[in-house]
Amino acid sequence: MQDDGSGSTARGVAERVARESYGRLVAYLGGRLGDLASAEDALAAAFLTALEKWPVDGVPDNPDAWLLTIARRRKLDDWRKDKVKARSADHLALITEELSAAAEMNEEIADRRLALMFACAHPDIDVSARTPLILQTVLGLTAADIAARFLVSPRAMGQRLVRAKARIRDEKIPFLVPEKEELSQRLPPVLTSIYAAYTSGWMDIEGAQALGQEAIWLASVVVSLLPQEPEPKGLLALMLYSEARRSSRRGLDGAFVPLDSQDVGLWDHELLRAAEGLLREANGNGPTGRYQIEAAIQSAHVARRLSGISNWHAVVSLYDVLGRIAPSPVVTLNRSVALMRIGQADAALDDIHALAGDPRMADYLPYWTGRAQICADLGRHVEAAAAFTVAIGLCWSDAERRHLEDQRSRVLC
């Protein structure tokens, strides 16, 4: 055991391990049990035990293995209480041996997350539950968090997830990466979930950056499994474009720095070259999809900043294509901001006003920041200040909140 010196430190380690290892542990244990709900229950008990034991005994040298051991014991105890042991002694012995071996096999534990994602995307799982199930089991998001993303009630989402987990258990859906001919059919929810993991990695909380890095790793694995599929490469390129700018998003004082004000010298140009190469390969591999277009938009933003040459007309054209193949209010919103940059202020404002009738925009931060910026550019300062006020109330990042407060102060001067 490591001597951490304080209960608060041990608790912090437990919370970090929960954030960073939850998906790996659920994938490994769930794959062995064939039952996601049971694996989640056993791991929840293990984490509670960690919160009790680690502040007293110290943090173990291998926290993941320790948690797997406690979860395994919990599950074996449950089986014994249910008098299953006598009928399934061989199976229990096999599970015990495999979980014990996991103590020194962290890479194998990590690899099973992708297998879990493809199990959640199995054709026998209801299509509306596939991405939510991946978000919960791999990312550890709550039913309430996922419900907010999919605009349904937490209760309805909870029921949907319970049914999907029962389906995996009852149909004995294997936790395996499928054969290549089946992979492409299961790709959409897997890619959606990987990107959700990456965007969650931009949050200003401890461990968030590690989540973003794991999303990049997962996308890289999918690319290696499906080298001829364009969309995984498009997704990986999209994430690398964003990752390359990570160090420039904060000033020396921690203040948020928007794209057009970032120091391009701080960008990771090796990652940018990797993103450009992936995007070229994706474009040469087949039909253009959502992630390829989103990556192309990021490429255009990078090119504009590096060259100093305006290319907003090209950005609008790319959003036009994206709106045809993957229409959404978010695409309309982003396109409206681009329209402002080419002098089509009235069209941009018309789009913003049209979006106001969509209930999903009520608590969507980018909508209010986009609306505020467009109104400010048009000299509609009262409307801009009101929109900035709503955006400030919705913002979870201290740095970005301060940036929005500065912008509101400017329009009120």
mmCIF file of all heavy atoms in Angstrom, residues 42-78:
data_model
loop_
_atom_site.group_PDB
_atom_site.id
_atom_site.type_symbol
_atom_site.label_atom_id
_atom_site.label_comp_id
_atom_site.label_asym_id
_atom_site.label_seq_id
_atom_site.Cartn_x
_atom_site.Cartn_y
_atom_site.Cartn_z
ATOM 1 N N ALA A 42 -21.456 -4.477 -8.443
ATOM 2 C CA ALA A 42 -20.266 -4.977 -7.745
ATOM 3 C C ALA A 42 -19.187 -3.899 -7.665
ATOM 4 O O ALA A 42 -18.526 -3.738 -6.629
ATOM 5 C CB ALA A 42 -19.736 -6.227 -8.440
ATOM 6 N N LEU A 43 -19.013 -3.139 -8.741
ATOM 7 C CA LEU A 43 -17.997 -2.081 -8.736
ATOM 8 C C LEU A 43 -18.402 -0.919 -7.842
ATOM 9 O O LEU A 43 -17.551 -0.307 -7.187
ATOM 10 C CB LEU A 43 -17.745 -1.588 -10.160
ATOM 11 C CG LEU A 43 -16.882 -2.515 -11.011
ATOM 12 C CD1 LEU A 43 -16.868 -2.057 -12.456
ATOM 13 C CD2 LEU A 43 -15.453 -2.568 -10.470
ATOM 14 N N ALA A 44 -19.691 -0.616 -7.793
ATOM 15 C CA ALA A 44 -20.157 0.434 -6.889
ATOM 16 C C ALA A 44 -19.823 0.072 -5.448
ATOM 17 O O ALA A 44 -19.366 0.916 -4.658
ATOM 18 C CB ALA A 44 -21.666 0.641 -7.054
ATOM 19 N N ALA A 45 -20.035 -1.200 -5.097
ATOM 20 C CA ALA A 45 -19.688 -1.656 -3.755
ATOM 21 C C ALA A 45 -18.182 -1.570 -3.526
ATOM 22 O O ALA A 45 -17.723 -1.208 -2.437
ATOM 23 C CB ALA A 45 -20.174 -3.091 -3.548
ATOM 24 N N ALA A 46 -17.396 -1.892 -4.555
ATOM 25 C CA ALA A 46 -15.942 -1.831 -4.436
ATOM 26 C C ALA A 46 -15.466 -0.398 -4.210
ATOM 27 O O ALA A 46 -14.570 -0.143 -3.387
ATOM 28 C CB ALA A 46 -15.289 -2.423 -5.684
ATOM 29 N N PHE A 47 -16.050 0.563 -4.925
ATOM 30 C CA PHE A 47 -15.658 1.954 -4.742
ATOM 31 C C PHE A 47 -16.036 2.453 -3.351
ATOM 32 O O PHE A 47 -15.293 3.217 -2.734
ATOM 33 C CB PHE A 47 -16.295 2.831 -5.823
ATOM 34 C CG PHE A 47 -15.559 2.805 -7.134
ATOM 35 C CD1 PHE A 47 -16.145 2.288 -8.278
ATOM 36 C CD2 PHE A 47 -14.272 3.304 -7.233
ATOM 37 C CE1 PHE A 47 -15.469 2.254 -9.488
ATOM 38 C CE2 PHE A 47 -13.579 3.287 -8.446
ATOM 39 C CZ PHE A 47 -14.183 2.756 -9.570
ATOM 40 N N LEU A 48 -17.192 2.041 -2.850
ATOM 41 C CA LEU A 48 -17.581 2.412 -1.484
ATOM 42 C C LEU A 48 -16.594 1.847 -0.471
ATOM 43 O O LEU A 48 -16.208 2.510 0.496
ATOM 44 C CB LEU A 48 -18.996 1.918 -1.187
ATOM 45 C CG LEU A 48 -20.138 2.679 -1.859
ATOM 46 C CD1 LEU A 48 -21.477 2.003 -1.574
ATOM 47 C CD2 LEU A 48 -20.167 4.134 -1.381
ATOM 48 N N THR A 49 -16.169 0.614 -0.698
ATOM 49 C CA THR A 49 -15.180 0.003 0.183
ATOM 50 C C THR A 49 -13.861 0.762 0.135
ATOM 51 O O THR A 49 -13.193 0.964 1.152
ATOM 52 C CB THR A 49 -14.950 -1.473 -0.199
ATOM 53 O OG1 THR A 49 -16.195 -2.170 -0.147
ATOM 54 C CG2 THR A 49 -13.969 -2.142 0.748
ATOM 55 N N ALA A 50 -13.486 1.210 -1.070
ATOM 56 C CA ALA A 50 -12.249 1.988 -1.218
ATOM 57 C C ALA A 50 -12.321 3.280 -0.408
ATOM 58 O O ALA A 50 -11.342 3.675 0.238
ATOM 59 C CB ALA A 50 -12.004 2.295 -2.686
ATOM 60 N N LEU A 51 -13.458 3.937 -0.433
ATOM 61 C CA LEU A 51 -13.616 5.181 0.322
ATOM 62 C C LEU A 51 -13.505 4.943 1.821
ATOM 63 O O LEU A 51 -13.102 5.840 2.576
ATOM 64 C CB LEU A 51 -14.957 5.831 -0.018
ATOM 65 C CG LEU A 51 -15.094 6.392 -1.436
ATOM 66 C CD1 LEU A 51 -16.504 6.897 -1.680
ATOM 67 C CD2 LEU A 51 -14.084 7.510 -1.678
ATOM 68 N N GLU A 52 -13.851 3.737 2.263
ATOM 69 C CA GLU A 52 -13.736 3.394 3.680
ATOM 70 C C GLU A 52 -12.316 2.955 4.042
ATOM 71 O O GLU A 52 -11.782 3.352 5.076
ATOM 72 C CB GLU A 52 -14.711 2.256 4.018
ATOM 73 C CG GLU A 52 -16.178 2.628 3.877
ATOM 74 C CD GLU A 52 -17.083 1.415 4.041
ATOM 75 O OE1 GLU A 52 -16.546 0.302 4.259
ATOM 76 O OE2 GLU A 52 -18.307 1.583 3.960
ATOM 77 N N LYS A 53 -11.700 2.144 3.173
ATOM 78 C CA LYS A 53 -10.438 1.499 3.515
ATOM 79 C C LYS A 53 -9.210 2.345 3.202
ATOM 80 O O LYS A 53 -8.238 2.362 3.981
ATOM 81 C CB LYS A 53 -10.326 0.170 2.763
ATOM 82 C CG LYS A 53 -11.392 -0.860 3.133
ATOM 83 C CD LYS A 53 -11.148 -1.427 4.514
ATOM 84 C CE LYS A 53 -12.096 -2.591 4.806
ATOM 85 N NZ LYS A 53 -11.880 -3.135 6.172
ATOM 86 N N TRP A 54 -9.189 3.015 2.058
ATOM 87 C CA TRP A 54 -7.968 3.694 1.620
ATOM 88 C C TRP A 54 -7.528 4.811 2.565
ATOM 89 O O TRP A 54 -6.322 4.970 2.797
ATOM 90 C CB TRP A 54 -8.121 4.213 0.203
ATOM 91 C CG TRP A 54 -8.209 3.117 -0.826
ATOM 92 C CD1 TRP A 54 -8.184 1.766 -0.590
ATOM 93 C CD2 TRP A 54 -8.337 3.271 -2.237
ATOM 94 N NE1 TRP A 54 -8.301 1.069 -1.769
ATOM 95 C CE2 TRP A 54 -8.396 1.960 -2.792
ATOM 96 C CE3 TRP A 54 -8.412 4.360 -3.088
ATOM 97 C CZ2 TRP A 54 -8.518 1.734 -4.168
ATOM 98 C CZ3 TRP A 54 -8.539 4.151 -4.458
ATOM 99 C CH2 TRP A 54 -8.591 2.853 -4.991
ATOM 100 N N PRO A 55 -8.464 5.610 3.120
ATOM 101 C CA PRO A 55 -8.003 6.635 4.068
ATOM 102 C C PRO A 55 -7.330 6.035 5.305
ATOM 103 O O PRO A 55 -6.505 6.699 5.942
ATOM 104 C CB PRO A 55 -9.294 7.368 4.444
ATOM 105 C CG PRO A 55 -10.195 7.158 3.272
ATOM 106 C CD PRO A 55 -9.899 5.757 2.817
ATOM 107 N N VAL A 56 -7.653 4.792 5.645
ATOM 108 C CA VAL A 56 -7.091 4.137 6.828
ATOM 109 C C VAL A 56 -5.844 3.324 6.478
ATOM 110 O O VAL A 56 -4.797 3.438 7.115
ATOM 111 C CB VAL A 56 -8.146 3.218 7.495
ATOM 112 C CG1 VAL A 56 -7.543 2.474 8.688
ATOM 113 C CG2 VAL A 56 -9.360 4.031 7.919
ATOM 114 N N ASP A 57 -5.966 2.498 5.426
ATOM 115 C CA ASP A 57 -4.893 1.562 5.079
ATOM 116 C C ASP A 57 -3.909 2.106 4.056
ATOM 117 O O ASP A 57 -2.850 1.512 3.835
ATOM 118 C CB ASP A 57 -5.494 0.264 4.525
ATOM 119 C CG ASP A 57 -6.405 -0.425 5.529
ATOM 120 O OD1 ASP A 57 -6.218 -0.192 6.745
ATOM 121 O OD2 ASP A 57 -7.295 -1.188 5.101
ATOM 122 N N GLY A 58 -4.248 3.201 3.408
ATOM 123 C CA GLY A 58 -3.419 3.712 2.331
ATOM 124 C C GLY A 58 -3.931 3.247 0.979
ATOM 125 O O GLY A 58 -4.696 2.292 0.875
ATOM 126 N N VAL A 59 -3.502 3.940 -0.075
ATOM 127 C CA VAL A 59 -3.941 3.611 -1.427
ATOM 128 C C VAL A 59 -3.116 2.431 -1.941
ATOM 129 O O VAL A 59 -1.890 2.441 -1.836
ATOM 130 C CB VAL A 59 -3.765 4.823 -2.369
ATOM 131 C CG1 VAL A 59 -4.179 4.460 -3.798
ATOM 132 C CG2 VAL A 59 -4.587 6.001 -1.864
ATOM 133 N N PRO A 60 -3.738 1.403 -2.500
ATOM 134 C CA PRO A 60 -2.977 0.253 -3.005
ATOM 135 C C PRO A 60 -2.096 0.642 -4.180
ATOM 136 O O PRO A 60 -2.355 1.616 -4.885
ATOM 137 C CB PRO A 60 -4.073 -0.734 -3.422
ATOM 138 C CG PRO A 60 -5.276 0.105 -3.662
ATOM 139 C CD PRO A 60 -5.194 1.237 -2.686
ATOM 140 N N ASP A 61 -1.043 -0.157 -4.390
ATOM 141 C CA ASP A 61 -0.123 0.114 -5.489
ATOM 142 C C ASP A 61 -0.807 0.003 -6.849
ATOM 143 O O ASP A 61 -0.450 0.696 -7.791
ATOM 144 C CB ASP A 61 1.062 -0.857 -5.440
ATOM 145 C CG ASP A 61 1.911 -0.649 -4.195
ATOM 146 O OD1 ASP A 61 1.994 0.508 -3.729
ATOM 147 O OD2 ASP A 61 2.477 -1.632 -3.698
ATOM 148 N N ASN A 62 -1.784 -0.893 -6.942
ATOM 149 C CA ASN A 62 -2.529 -1.081 -8.186
ATOM 150 C C ASN A 62 -4.019 -0.919 -7.882
ATOM 151 O O ASN A 62 -4.719 -1.896 -7.620
ATOM 152 C CB ASN A 62 -2.242 -2.466 -8.775
ATOM 153 C CG ASN A 62 -2.797 -2.634 -10.174
ATOM 154 O OD1 ASN A 62 -3.789 -2.003 -10.537
ATOM 155 N ND2 ASN A 62 -2.178 -3.489 -10.967
ATOM 156 N N PRO A 63 -4.526 0.330 -7.878
ATOM 157 C CA PRO A 63 -5.926 0.560 -7.492
ATOM 158 C C PRO A 63 -6.928 -0.209 -8.338
ATOM 159 O O PRO A 63 -7.919 -0.724 -7.817
ATOM 160 C CB PRO A 63 -6.097 2.072 -7.664
ATOM 161 C CG PRO A 63 -4.713 2.628 -7.540
ATOM 162 C CD PRO A 63 -3.827 1.598 -8.160
ATOM 163 N N ASP A 64 -6.687 -0.297 -9.658
ATOM 164 C CA ASP A 64 -7.634 -1.016 -10.527
ATOM 165 C C ASP A 64 -7.754 -2.473 -10.116
ATOM 166 O O ASP A 64 -8.864 -3.021 -10.020
ATOM 167 C CB ASP A 64 -7.171 -0.933 -11.983
ATOM 168 C CG ASP A 64 -7.441 0.420 -12.613
ATOM 169 O OD1 ASP A 64 -7.869 1.330 -11.883
ATOM 170 O OD2 ASP A 64 -7.206 0.572 -13.815
ATOM 171 N N ALA A 65 -6.612 -3.125 -9.893
ATOM 172 C CA ALA A 65 -6.634 -4.537 -9.515
ATOM 173 C C ALA A 65 -7.304 -4.726 -8.156
ATOM 174 O O ALA A 65 -8.040 -5.692 -7.945
ATOM 175 C CB ALA A 65 -5.215 -5.093 -9.489
ATOM 176 N N TRP A 66 -7.035 -3.801 -7.237
ATOM 177 C CA TRP A 66 -7.667 -3.870 -5.914
ATOM 178 C C TRP A 66 -9.185 -3.801 -6.040
ATOM 179 O O TRP A 66 -9.910 -4.593 -5.426
ATOM 180 C CB TRP A 66 -7.143 -2.714 -5.063
ATOM 181 C CG TRP A 66 -7.506 -2.765 -3.605
ATOM 182 C CD1 TRP A 66 -6.756 -3.245 -2.576
ATOM 183 C CD2 TRP A 66 -8.723 -2.269 -3.009
ATOM 184 N NE1 TRP A 66 -7.409 -3.101 -1.376
ATOM 185 C CE2 TRP A 66 -8.634 -2.500 -1.613
ATOM 186 C CE3 TRP A 66 -9.869 -1.663 -3.498
ATOM 187 C CZ2 TRP A 66 -9.635 -2.138 -0.723
ATOM 188 C CZ3 TRP A 66 -10.887 -1.307 -2.618
ATOM 189 C CH2 TRP A 66 -10.770 -1.545 -1.242
ATOM 190 N N LEU A 67 -9.655 -2.868 -6.842
ATOM 191 C CA LEU A 67 -11.105 -2.724 -7.019
ATOM 192 C C LEU A 67 -11.710 -3.964 -7.682
ATOM 193 O O LEU A 67 -12.799 -4.411 -7.311
ATOM 194 C CB LEU A 67 -11.399 -1.476 -7.855
ATOM 195 C CG LEU A 67 -11.147 -0.147 -7.138
ATOM 196 C CD1 LEU A 67 -11.057 0.994 -8.139
ATOM 197 C CD2 LEU A 67 -12.248 0.128 -6.111
ATOM 198 N N LEU A 68 -11.007 -4.512 -8.681
ATOM 199 C CA LEU A 68 -11.502 -5.729 -9.325
ATOM 200 C C LEU A 68 -11.585 -6.878 -8.330
ATOM 201 O O LEU A 68 -12.535 -7.667 -8.354
ATOM 202 C CB LEU A 68 -10.588 -6.126 -10.488
ATOM 203 C CG LEU A 68 -10.917 -5.568 -11.862
ATOM 204 C CD1 LEU A 68 -9.923 -6.097 -12.892
ATOM 205 C CD2 LEU A 68 -12.333 -5.913 -12.291
ATOM 206 N N THR A 69 -10.600 -6.966 -7.446
ATOM 207 C CA THR A 69 -10.603 -8.041 -6.450
ATOM 208 C C THR A 69 -11.803 -7.909 -5.515
ATOM 209 O O THR A 69 -12.499 -8.890 -5.230
ATOM 210 C CB THR A 69 -9.301 -8.007 -5.631
ATOM 211 O OG1 THR A 69 -8.197 -8.227 -6.510
ATOM 212 C CG2 THR A 69 -9.307 -9.079 -4.561
ATOM 213 N N ILE A 70 -12.056 -6.697 -5.030
ATOM 214 C CA ILE A 70 -13.200 -6.479 -4.134
ATOM 215 C C ILE A 70 -14.511 -6.749 -4.860
ATOM 216 O O ILE A 70 -15.431 -7.384 -4.324
ATOM 217 C CB ILE A 70 -13.179 -5.044 -3.579
ATOM 218 C CG1 ILE A 70 -11.911 -4.808 -2.759
ATOM 219 C CG2 ILE A 70 -14.415 -4.784 -2.735
ATOM 220 C CD1 ILE A 70 -11.744 -5.748 -1.590
ATOM 221 N N ALA A 71 -14.609 -6.286 -6.110
ATOM 222 C CA ALA A 71 -15.828 -6.533 -6.889
ATOM 223 C C ALA A 71 -16.031 -8.022 -7.113
ATOM 224 O O ALA A 71 -17.156 -8.534 -7.037
ATOM 225 C CB ALA A 71 -15.752 -5.791 -8.225
ATOM 226 N N ARG A 72 -14.926 -8.720 -7.401
ATOM 227 C CA ARG A 72 -15.010 -10.164 -7.612
ATOM 228 C C ARG A 72 -15.523 -10.865 -6.362
ATOM 229 O O ARG A 72 -16.415 -11.715 -6.415
ATOM 230 C CB ARG A 72 -13.629 -10.700 -7.979
ATOM 231 C CG ARG A 72 -13.567 -12.207 -8.193
ATOM 232 C CD ARG A 72 -12.133 -12.696 -8.109
ATOM 233 N NE ARG A 72 -11.630 -12.555 -6.747
ATOM 234 C CZ ARG A 72 -10.349 -12.585 -6.430
ATOM 235 N NH1 ARG A 72 -9.434 -12.688 -7.370
ATOM 236 N NH2 ARG A 72 -9.973 -12.478 -5.178
ATOM 237 N N ARG A 73 -14.980 -10.477 -5.202
ATOM 238 C CA ARG A 73 -15.417 -11.103 -3.947
ATOM 239 C C ARG A 73 -16.888 -10.830 -3.689
ATOM 240 O O ARG A 73 -17.630 -11.718 -3.243
ATOM 241 C CB ARG A 73 -14.573 -10.576 -2.787
ATOM 242 C CG ARG A 73 -13.128 -11.062 -2.816
ATOM 243 C CD ARG A 73 -12.324 -10.371 -1.737
ATOM 244 N NE ARG A 73 -10.923 -10.782 -1.769
ATOM 245 C CZ ARG A 73 -9.962 -10.169 -1.096
ATOM 246 N NH1 ARG A 73 -10.257 -9.099 -0.350
ATOM 247 N NH2 ARG A 73 -8.717 -10.605 -1.173
ATOM 248 N N ARG A 74 -17.309 -9.590 -3.978
ATOM 249 C CA ARG A 74 -18.715 -9.243 -3.783
ATOM 250 C C ARG A 74 -19.601 -10.122 -4.655
ATOM 251 O O ARG A 74 -20.629 -10.636 -4.219
ATOM 252 C CB ARG A 74 -18.923 -7.764 -4.122
ATOM 253 C CG ARG A 74 -20.357 -7.328 -4.369
ATOM 254 C CD ARG A 74 -21.223 -7.408 -3.117
ATOM 255 N NE ARG A 74 -22.592 -7.048 -3.430
ATOM 256 C CZ ARG A 74 -23.069 -5.807 -3.344
ATOM 257 N NH1 ARG A 74 -22.287 -4.820 -2.937
ATOM 258 N NH2 ARG A 74 -24.323 -5.557 -3.634
ATOM 259 N N LYS A 75 -19.186 -10.311 -5.902
ATOM 260 C CA LYS A 75 -20.001 -11.101 -6.820
ATOM 261 C C LYS A 75 -20.020 -12.567 -6.419
ATOM 262 O O LYS A 75 -21.076 -13.222 -6.469
ATOM 263 C CB LYS A 75 -19.436 -10.948 -8.244
ATOM 264 C CG LYS A 75 -20.445 -11.194 -9.338
ATOM 265 C CD LYS A 75 -21.640 -10.291 -9.193
ATOM 266 C CE LYS A 75 -22.900 -11.103 -9.412
ATOM 267 N NZ LYS A 75 -24.100 -10.495 -8.905
ATOM 268 N N LEU A 76 -18.876 -13.093 -6.015
ATOM 269 C CA LEU A 76 -18.838 -14.488 -5.587
ATOM 270 C C LEU A 76 -19.695 -14.706 -4.337
ATOM 271 O O LEU A 76 -20.372 -15.732 -4.210
ATOM 272 C CB LEU A 76 -17.388 -14.911 -5.320
ATOM 273 C CG LEU A 76 -16.481 -15.003 -6.554
ATOM 274 C CD1 LEU A 76 -15.055 -15.304 -6.142
ATOM 275 C CD2 LEU A 76 -16.988 -16.055 -7.518
ATOM 276 N N ASP A 77 -19.671 -13.736 -3.432
ATOM 277 C CA ASP A 77 -20.518 -13.838 -2.242
ATOM 278 C C ASP A 77 -21.986 -13.861 -2.630
ATOM 279 O O ASP A 77 -22.782 -14.628 -2.071
ATOM 280 C CB ASP A 77 -20.255 -12.667 -1.296
ATOM 281 C CG ASP A 77 -18.931 -12.796 -0.563
ATOM 282 O OD1 ASP A 77 -18.381 -13.921 -0.550
ATOM 283 O OD2 ASP A 77 -18.450 -11.779 -0.032
ATOM 284 N N ASP A 78 -22.356 -13.032 -3.600
ATOM 285 C CA ASP A 78 -23.753 -13.015 -4.053
ATOM 286 C C ASP A 78 -24.150 -14.363 -4.638
ATOM 287 O O ASP A 78 -25.252 -14.867 -4.397
ATOM 288 C CB ASP A 78 -23.948 -11.914 -5.104
ATOM 289 C CG ASP A 78 -23.904 -10.520 -4.503
ATOM 290 O OD1 ASP A 78 -23.982 -10.409 -3.268
ATOM 291 O OD2 ASP A 78 -23.774 -9.546 -5.274
#
